[in-house]
Amino acid sequence: MENPFISIIIVNYNSGDMLSRVMSALAVQTYSNYEVVVIDNHSVDNSWQAAEHTSFPCQLVRLEENIGFAAANNLAIADYIQGDWIFLLNPDAYPEPDCLMAVTRNITQMPEIDCFACTLINANLPMQLDGIGDTYHVSGLHWRHGHGSHHAIVPAQPVEVFSACAAAAFYRASTFRQLEGFDESYFAYSEDIDLGFRLRLAGGTCILLPDARVHHVGSAITGRSSDFSIYHGHRNLTWTFIKNMPMPLLFFLLPIHLAMTIYVGLMFALSGRFRPYARAKKDAIRQLGPELAKRRKIQPQRTCSCFNLLRMMCWLPRNRFQK
């Protein structure tokens, strides 16, 4: 395809029949000016075959090793896409037929916006939300807005959120490149909140689109509470806080971050899951040098005020869209 407006990137790893379901969802989109790039992270099943012989332009790139979610997306954006906009889509996330049309309409109406978050519906319980944008707490914790809530809390109009969940997120390609993409040291987990944080520091904004609906299974491959997700999620959480928090706020919020770290550690200890958590925090500190070097590059370029950053951060564990 010449000059596709949207490049859809799917990072696949042993997704079973889920990738086939994604391809079926893309085949019935009411908007057609898009291409698809599937980066297969050395799957040992045959899931990647769903990217062959599609009814729309689709490029399959099979890697000889699993380089991680962050690096695979960066590879696709650096070498394989043509679109002005990027749609990052998980293999367990299924857009409704009007999803792409809804996003392109909002891109036209809000040309100053660089990132759009989709409304994520629980794929197994359609009346329940999987998330409506990402929340960043002052402690460094982060979560999907409205996860597990009834879909009635979805706002009627587009609304600003801290960042987009990369299970289904739109980024302006030029902005993604200017921010140097995902932090590949993360491998997987929290790379989207980190990118959203850096986008915000650079003066960017993320908007949730209520009518861009995607049905999401969530952690279908790695497991929501697996040792893998605990380790990478909590190691990367520390890096995101230390790397991105502006100095005036870092001194103020660091005690809250440390208190949260201890509290969460106690919860994991009581549940018998302390080992991967402890390893995550140990490695986060032991490998902090490269992240501090990135901090020294990020912070001098900050244009977002501390006030505006705090305005979009959460102080209480509640859904700010709750009615």
Side-chain angles (χ1 to χ4, degrees), residues 139-158:
S139 67
L141 282 174
H142 50 84
W143 59 84
R144 291 194 294 278
H145 274 313
H147 178 74
S149 299
H150 192 274
H151 66 72
I153 72 166
V154 177
Q157 301 296 326

Side-chain angles (χ1 to χ4, degrees), residues 30-258:
T30 56
Y31 180 85
S32 60
N33 190 17
Y34 67 89
E35 63 173 353
V36 177
V37 176
V38 175
I39 306 292
D40 184 73
N41 257 336
H42 195 58
S43 295
V44 296
D45 65 3
N46 293 324
S47 56
W48 55 271
Q49 294 178 353
E52 297 182 322
H53 311 299
T54 59
S55 60
F56 46 80
C58 182
Q59 185 175 184
L60 172 65
V61 181
R62 298 194 66 201
L63 304 181
E64 296 183 354
E65 61 177 327
N66 183 356
I67 64 174
F69 178 83
N73 276 295
N74 286 352
L75 174 67
I77 293 163
D79 295 342
Y80 294 104
I81 70 159
Q82 302 179 63
D84 296 329
W85 279 81
I86 302 158
F87 182 21
L88 303 187
L89 189 64
N90 277 8
D92 64 346
Y94 318 122
E96 291 189 357
D98 290 333
C99 180
L100 295 184
M101 186 67 76
V103 176
T104 54
R105 180 173 61 250
N106 281 279
I107 288 173
T108 300
Q109 294 172 351
M110 293 181 276
E112 75 283 4
I113 301 302
D114 292 302
C115 177
F116 292 99
C118 293
T119 297
L120 298 179
I121 309 297
N122 187 323
N124 298 314
L125 298 169
M127 299 296 288
Q128 189 178 101
L129 289 174
D130 184 64
I132 43 178
D134 280 348
T135 292
Y136 193 85
H137 191 264
V138 291
S139 67
L141 282 174
H142 50 84
W143 59 84
R144 291 194 294 278
H145 274 313
H147 178 74
S149 299
H150 192 274
H151 66 72
I153 72 166
V154 177
Q157 301 296 326
V159 63
E160 185 178 1
V161 293
F162 188 87
S163 64
C165 173
F170 285 80
Y171 301 91
R172 193 184 305 274
S174 59
T175 301
F176 190 96
R177 294 187 180 105
Q178 287 169 8
L179 294 171
E180 300 184 2
F182 289 137
D183 188 332
E184 296 184 10
S185 65
Y186 282 35
F187 192 82
Y189 289 98
S190 301
E191 69 290 308
D192 49 359
I193 199 86
D194 170 62
L195 180 64
F197 205 143
R198 287 186 280 121
L199 172 66
R200 189 161 293 281
L201 290 176
T205 300
C206 178
I207 298 293
L208 168 74
L209 299 180
D211 52 352
R213 295 163 56 93
V214 177
H215 295 255
H216 185 217
V217 176
S219 301
I221 296 172
T222 59
R224 193 176 301 277
S225 59
S226 65
D227 286 358
F228 178 91
S229 63
I230 292 171
Y231 172 78
H232 287 87
H234 286 279
R235 182 197 62 178
N236 299 347
L237 180 151
T238 297
W239 286 347
T240 299
F241 181 86
I242 297 298
K243 181 173 66 175
N244 295 314
M245 194 64 69
M247 188 60 72
L249 298 181
L250 184 62
F251 285 114
F252 176 56
L253 299 177
L254 186 58
I256 301 175
H257 177 77
L258 294 175

Side-chain angles (χ1 to χ4, degrees), residues 2-3 23 41 50 59 98 122 126 139 204-205 264 266 291 303 317:
E2 293 185 4
N3 302 319
M23 294 302 172
N41 257 336
Q59 185 175 184
D98 290 333
N122 187 323
S139 67
T205 300
V264 173
L266 289 173
E291 301 306 316
T303 61

